[in-house]
Structures are given as structure tokens and as C-alpha cells.
Amino acid sequence: MAGKRKTTKSKKSKAVIEPTEELNFEGIEELPLKDFTESAYLDYSMYVILDRALPHIGDGLKPVQRRITYAMSELGLSASSKHKKSARTVGDVLGKFHPHGDSACYEAMVLMAQPFSYRYPIIDGQGNWGSQDDPKSFAAMRYTESKLTPYAQTLLGELEQGTVDWAPNFDGTLKEPTLLPARVPNILLNGTTGIAVGMATDIPPHNLKEVVSACIHLLDNSKATVKDLTKFVKGPDYPTNAEIISSKQEIKDVYETGRGSIRMRACYELEDGEVIITALPHQVSGGKVLEQIAGQMTAKKLPMVEDLRDESDHENPIRLVIVPRSNRINCDELMAHLFATTDLERTYRVNMNMIGIDGRPKVRDLREILTEWLKYRVTTVTRRLEYRLEKVLARLHELDGLMVAFLNIDEVIKIIRTKDEPKPVLMKRFKISDLQAESILNLKLRHLAKLEEVKIKAEQKELAKERDYLQKTLGSKARLKTLVKTELKADSDKFGDDRRSPIVVRDAAQAIDESSLISADPVTVILSKKGWIRSAKGHEMDPFTVNYKAGDEYRDACRGRSNEQSVFLDSTGRVYTVVTHSLPSARGLGEPLSGRVNPPDGATFEGVMIGKPDDKFLVASSSGYGFITRLGDLYAKNKAGKTMLNTGKFAKALGVSRITELAEDWVAIVSSEGHLLIIDAHELPEMARGKGIKMINIPSKKLKAGEEHACAMTVITGDQKLRIQSGKKHVTLSQADMEHYMAEHGKRGRKLPRGFQNVDSISAVDK
């Protein structure tokens, strides 16, 4: 039988698989796949969280960053040394401490050297280390050179003073520090980002002076709240001069919860009528911003911009020029639109998740971070003082033995010369320790001079003074806090600088409505019988004179402006909305409307409407019913449109006609049997959707094929005349002639003269 295993939980909540039986008969260890995968994935998750992706609150570094920094210090690449090839550092890191990919290690190294990525860079790079416009454009590690910056001393300065624990490297041949003894809260100063398993971190950078001030305040007032600390830490401080525009409440919420977001906005100024962008948000590429603006210009969504230029150089790292089309353009409104539609304004996620002193990841608020880091710092300083006190006491003990030797120099020399093993004799004779006897035996002859006694007494006095100071400091929490504060102030004065990212309260940016960005040019939208559409410039275009595809002809046309929306009516009574300025030019044959909208199967397009939302149109069906509708009620958001005219099962939409709302508006409607009725337009109701009222009386009830139905209608305004087309013949009715056909709505109308019984179309004409 196969060996079975059971799963238990250790104190660290890791799955531990314990065999209940040794092996099976074939000598193969077996266990359930569920238990194995659970344990393996949990081990992997813990490794990624603790040893790769998340920083430690103590030194604010991930393992790879810590190993790079330590390896460079071991290579002697201090701030005062010469630069060395980066490949040398990467090789040492991979070979001694971090057996992973060289490209990933080098990218982590590059990030620590880029002044536009790190608020306080740890590495001083020489060569091409990338640019803000393209951070990934750095040269290969065989070309670049590097060393540590002066700021790196805040992380490494106390490393050899007994301040941290050491652990074996991956192959057990060397020792590496588990943490670096940071003198400042680097976790907040440089921040970091990382993605682990089931969790992530996004810690923004901060200003050194502000954070140190908050630390000192917290040392003096252990009960200080987050609100108290935010008086010192105003907000994040990114390595860019762009503005932080988040409200004070938003920033406060970030520090109280450890989560939230920060918004940054580019800075600009006006110069000779041109907009000059002088600072971009953190990690935003100027080239990408120009590309986004140019894309809007190409799409004709930014008509107020004439030109773009990138004038960035060494003196002006960020100088993007936007040239307005005229001096009448409101540059502030233009920039507000660009803030809303491009990376000139950007939101950064904040998730202050980090590994604490207890070795567990947790999202912490500002007070928790500073309190825990100060605890780590006090512990580090205590270990440093204890280590130094141990060295001082050992040296004083050694000096006491040397003084015994100088006071009894002749006897000491005699014992050394006459005894085979002088060490135990010296220890017994002068009652000294093994260490003191060894120091005496190791004395050089030159140190037996009389002046050496004076030096020993001076050193004893100096060390005794240091011993007393160390013992007093270690014995008093107040002295220890004072020492930590003094060192924090010294580092703040040495490495601190002014805030780079100003915090300014701004209103939220609003994009300009697309319709207002489009020029309001007069256009004529033309619809053909087969549903092809196009747009002609101007209102003088005669839609009957343009070319149509073979077998196609004019169906309807409407005049309006290019910044208005076109609404199309199909035979089923559905309406569809299309952006007018995007329609193809009338110089060609156009394009099928069905490529832009999704009408029902078998439906044909019967009319087009364009104008302002309050413009009114007459719609009618072949059943003789109709009503007046407002154009703004017909706008449809999706391609499938929406039902507006209820035509019934056997009828279809006749088309549309514009209503001017003048007292002289008349509606003419004609049936397929040649009955013409002219009614007052004001008799028709105004509706958003529906069937309408009976305009002309049609005897047919079901409107089957061949039965009488309404076949055409139009609106006559003022002194216009009515033109009736029947085959190749046409007739124009004057105002006097039309009175013969006028009646109330719902009437049968009068029969047209012989030869015009089969009407093709009717239209209002001015002559």
C-alpha cells in the first residue's frame, strides 16, 4: 500500500507534510497531490512575499536592493571612490548573494540610480542610465559605471558595528546582512512598488526633512496621532516638480488607512501666447504626452491646437510647447481638457504594505510606520552602543595589564627570558588574565619606552570617559532618545532638501464636450434609397445632382452643422444617431449606413434629421398616422437605435419633414389612390414616441399589399407651393389651388386630377 501523509500547521502557518508511513514496496514516497500542491504553493508564496517583492520597514529595501548595496560596499565603491563597471557589481551580486537573472538585477540597480525614479538615489551612475522620457533606455551594464552615493552611508555607515544580524548566503560560503542599519526611514523616503502573491505594495516617496521632523515629534510625544504627524508630513514628495493636487482630506485618508490615491498634474506657464509645460507627473514620458495630444489633433478632436514642439534639452529637461490656433483660445480651458484626456494629470495608487519587525507583511498607517521604524532604530543604536562598550571595556582591561607590565618591566623581562612558558607565570605572579598576559607577550620592544606609559594613561582616561558616557546612555531611555534625535537631525541637515512636489488644491479637470471641439461648419447630409450616406460642405449643394451608385438614387437630405448629430429613421420606425463630422465626403459615393448601425433585417432607411436638440420634425407612417417630435428625444446611444414611431404590423415609416413652428406651417399627405389632404401642422400633437393621430383617413384596415395606403407627405411653410411628381409628369399647386385640398386632420381628402392618381413624391418648393 502507498504511504499516506497528514498535513499539520506550524507556528508560522506553513503547511507541513508529515509521513505516517515511510515508503511503499517500490521504495517510492507517495502523498496526496492536494497536500503537495498546497505546501508547494504556500512555500512559493511566502518566498515571493518575504524574500522578493515587499520591502522591510527597517531599511526600506527589497532583498535584491539590499544585496546590491552591500555588494557595492564590499567592492569599495563608496562615494569617495572611483566608478567601476556595473557588470562587476552585478557579477558579484549574482555570484555571492542573489542567484537570479542578470537583467532583473541590473534593472533594479538602474532604478536605484535614476534621480527621476528615486527621491534620494543610492547609486551614483556614470554613462547612460536612461532618461525621464524613456526610463528603459539605459545602456547595457558593460558600458555603464557606478558607485554609491553619499546618501548610501545612512544605510551602511553602522554595518560593521554589531548592529544587524548576519545570515549565510545561498551556498553557505559567505555571510550577508539580513537588514541594513538605516539611520533614516528609507521606507518612506524612496518608497517602492512591488507585486507579490495575493498582495502588492505602492509606497510613495517623501521628503527627508518632513519625515525626520515627524519622527522627532513622535519621540517627544509618544501619543501623537496621525493628524498630528500630518502637520509635518504634508504629503508625498515625488522626484518631479509637478503639482500634487489631491485635497488635504484625501492625503489625510491615505496616511490614516495606509491606502488611497494621489493625483499629480503637470505645471505649465504662458509665454508669448504659447503654453509651455515645464514639469510632468512622476514617471510620465513627454514623448507619450505629445503622442496623445497629436492623436487628438489627427482625429480632429482638438481644433484649437495648431502645433506641438518638444524643446527639452540639458538646461530645460522638460519643455513641451503647445501652440494655440489663435490668441482667442482660452489656454486654461485647453489645458483643463488635456489634463482630463492625457497623462498630463495622473493618479497614483498608495498601498503602504511592508514587512514589519515581526517578519509579517501588513498595511500600516503613518503613525504605525514611524513608530515601528523608531523602535527598530532605537534597537539598532542600542546594539551599536553595546558593541562599542564591549570593545571599550576589553581595551581598558588590556591597558590595565600593560600598565602592570610597565610598572614591573624588569621582572616581566626576566620571566620572559628565563621561563619556557612565561604566560602562566605572568598570570600567577601579577594576577592578570589570559588576555592581558597575551597582550604583554605581544608587545614590541619599541613600546617599552617611557613615553609609552604616558600614552597608555591618556588612552585609559579617554576610554574611561567614553565608557561612562556609553553606560549612562544605555542606562537611560531619555538619553537614548536624545541620541537618536541628534543623529536624525544631523542626517536631515546633511542630506535633506526642500520639497520638490508642491501641494496645491485644484479643481478636477473636465474634458471639453466633443461637440464643442468640432467646428460648426454648414453641411448637407444626403441619404440614398439603398442606405448610403455622405456629407457635403455648405447648404447650397443640390442632392439630386450628385452621383449615385448604379441602381441607386436620392432618398432624403437634411441641412445642419458639422458639430450636430444626424438622426436616421428606418422603415420600422427605429431611429439611429451618427456623429455628423465623421460622415464621408460627398465627393465620393459615401458608405453604407448599415456599417455604422444595426437595423432589423429587411429594414430600409427612410429619412435623415439634423439640427439642434430643440428642432422639431414631422414623422408619419403609411397607415396615415403621425406626430411631431423633438430631435433631442430621438438621440440613441447604441448601434441598435431605439423605437420611436409605432408603425404597426403592416405599415412602414414614410420619412421625416422639418417643422418651423410658424403660423403658416401646413402638412400635405397623399394616399396611393391619389387622395390629397392638407392640414394645419398645429393640429398634430408633439410626442417623444408612439403612433400619433390619424392624419388622413385610409379605408384599408390591415394595409396588405395592393391596398390603399399613405405614400408621401411633406411640410409647406409660408408662401411655398406644392410640387407633385407622378412618373415623368409633375404639377405645382399654388396657394389658391391648395385651399381646395385643405381640411381637418382625419378626413379623406380630395382626389387629385387625372394622371396624378399614382403619386411618386410630393415636396414643398419656393417657386
Side-chain angles (χ1 to χ4, degrees), residues 263-499:
R263 286 181 295 129
M264 291 196 80
R265 181 179 289 182
C267 296
Y268 70 95
E269 55 189 36
L270 301 180
E271 184 178 301
D272 298 330
E274 298 177 340
V275 179
I276 312 296
I277 298 173
T278 56
L280 293 173
H282 184 48
Q283 293 180 331
V284 168
S285 165
K288 184 179 179 181
V289 169
L290 292 179
E291 184 180 336
Q292 291 173 333
I293 299 175
Q296 294 189 38
M297 294 172 65
T298 304
K300 298 181 179 179
K301 295 182 179 180
L302 209 59
M304 66 280 289
V305 175
E306 182 177 6
D307 192 21
L308 298 173
R309 294 196 305 272
D310 186 354
E311 297 181 354
S312 305
D313 53 27
H314 291 291
E315 293 183 4
N316 302 289
I318 301 296
R319 184 178 170 84
L320 308 180
V321 182
I322 301 176
V323 183
R325 188 169 294 276
S326 72
N327 56 8
R328 295 189 300 273
I329 301 296
N330 188 323
C331 293
D332 292 332
E333 288 184 3
L334 168 62
M335 291 305 297
H337 172 76
L338 294 178
F339 288 144
T341 57
T342 69
D343 284 345
L344 288 175
E345 181 176 316
R346 196 167 179 180
T347 300
Y348 300 87
R349 184 178 60 181
V350 178
N351 180 24
M352 295 196 282
N353 189 10
M354 61 197 73
I355 301 170
I357 297 176
D358 58 0
R360 296 182 178 181
K362 180 185 173 184
V363 177
R364 293 166 168 80
D365 61 36
L366 179 62
R367 187 182 186 281
E368 288 178 311
I369 294 172
L370 295 182
T371 301
E372 195 163 344
W373 181 83
L374 286 172
K375 182 179 177 182
Y376 171 79
R377 179 60 189 157
V378 170
T379 302
T380 302
V381 172
T382 302
R383 293 181 63 170
R384 186 189 79 202
L385 296 180
E386 289 174 344
Y387 178 83
R388 178 58 185 165
L389 179 60
E390 184 180 340
K391 294 289 185 183
V392 168
L393 293 176
R395 180 59 179 165
L396 282 171
H397 182 66
E398 187 178 343
L399 291 175
D400 289 342
L402 292 178
M403 280 302 297
V404 171
F406 276 100
L407 293 175
N408 303 277
I409 189 65
D410 293 332
E411 189 177 355
V412 170
I413 292 174
K414 183 180 179 181
I415 292 172
I416 294 174
R417 291 184 64 186
T418 58
K419 301 297 181 181
D420 292 336
E421 292 187 8
K423 187 175 182 179
V425 177
L426 289 171
M427 292 173 64
K428 184 177 180 180
R429 169 67 184 83
F430 300 109
K431 297 180 181 180
I432 59 177
S433 66
D434 182 273
L435 178 63
Q436 291 172 325
E438 191 67 33
S439 300
I440 292 171
L441 293 173
N442 288 334
L443 271 176
K444 293 182 180 180
L445 291 176
R446 70 175 68 175
H447 292 156
L448 298 178
K450 286 185 178 182
L451 291 175
E452 198 65 28
E453 183 180 351
V454 178
K455 291 181 180 179
I456 291 174
K457 288 182 178 180
E459 187 177 353
Q460 278 182 320
K461 183 179 179 181
E462 192 69 28
L463 290 176
K465 184 179 179 181
E466 185 179 356
R467 177 198 60 201
D468 295 340
Y469 166 74
L470 292 173
Q471 289 175 341
K472 285 182 180 179
T473 305
L474 288 169
S476 170
K477 291 184 178 180
R479 286 177 179 268
L480 203 57
K481 283 186 178 181
T482 301
L483 177 60
V484 172
K485 286 193 292 184
T486 302
E487 292 176 351
L488 281 171
K489 287 179 181 177
D491 289 331
S492 176
D493 294 339
K494 185 175 181 180
F495 301 107
D497 55 4
D498 295 332
R499 166 175 283 276

Side-chain angles (χ1 to χ4, degrees), residues 417-620:
R417 291 184 64 186
T418 58
K419 301 297 181 181
D420 292 336
E421 292 187 8
K423 187 175 182 179
V425 177
L426 289 171
M427 292 173 64
K428 184 177 180 180
R429 169 67 184 83
F430 300 109
K431 297 180 181 180
I432 59 177
S433 66
D434 182 273
L435 178 63
Q436 291 172 325
E438 191 67 33
S439 300
I440 292 171
L441 293 173
N442 288 334
L443 271 176
K444 293 182 180 180
L445 291 176
R446 70 175 68 175
H447 292 156
L448 298 178
K450 286 185 178 182
L451 291 175
E452 198 65 28
E453 183 180 351
V454 178
K455 291 181 180 179
I456 291 174
K457 288 182 178 180
E459 187 177 353
Q460 278 182 320
K461 183 179 179 181
E462 192 69 28
L463 290 176
K465 184 179 179 181
E466 185 179 356
R467 177 198 60 201
D468 295 340
Y469 166 74
L470 292 173
Q471 289 175 341
K472 285 182 180 179
T473 305
L474 288 169
S476 170
K477 291 184 178 180
R479 286 177 179 268
L480 203 57
K481 283 186 178 181
T482 301
L483 177 60
V484 172
K485 286 193 292 184
T486 302
E487 292 176 351
L488 281 171
K489 287 179 181 177
D491 289 331
S492 176
D493 294 339
K494 185 175 181 180
F495 301 107
D497 55 4
D498 295 332
R499 166 175 283 276
R500 293 189 192 174
S501 303
I503 300 177
V504 183
V505 178
R506 303 281 191 193
D507 294 331
Q510 295 290 334
I512 302 175
D513 182 53
E514 185 175 344
S515 61
S516 63
L517 291 173
I518 303 164
S519 56
D521 300 324
V523 293
T524 301
V525 178
I526 304 171
L527 172 69
S528 74
K529 279 193 175 180
K530 290 191 175 181
W532 282 59
I533 52 170
R534 46 190 154 170
S535 174
K537 291 183 178 180
H539 290 167
E540 293 76 24
M541 165 68 68
D542 185 355
F544 292 95
T545 60
V546 298
N547 293 326
Y548 292 90
K549 292 185 65 175
D552 200 4
E553 58 183 321
Y554 168 82
R555 177 63 185 89
D556 195 15
C558 194
R559 295 177 173 84
R561 298 281 175 176
S562 57
N563 62 340
E564 297 171 341
Q565 299 189 74
S566 296
V567 178
F568 294 88
L569 173 69
D570 73 5
S571 56
T572 67
R574 298 185 70 85
V575 285
Y576 311 85
T577 304
V578 176
V579 180
T580 304
H581 74 88
S582 67
L583 296 177
S585 171
R587 295 178 179 177
L589 297 175
E591 65 180 45
L593 180 57
S594 57
R596 297 186 178 224
V597 298
N598 298 326
D601 293 338
T604 58
F605 294 102
E606 301 296 332
V608 56
M609 296 169 274
I610 181 173
K612 295 180 174 57
D614 289 331
D615 288 355
K616 295 179 181 179
F617 287 82
L618 169 67
V619 293

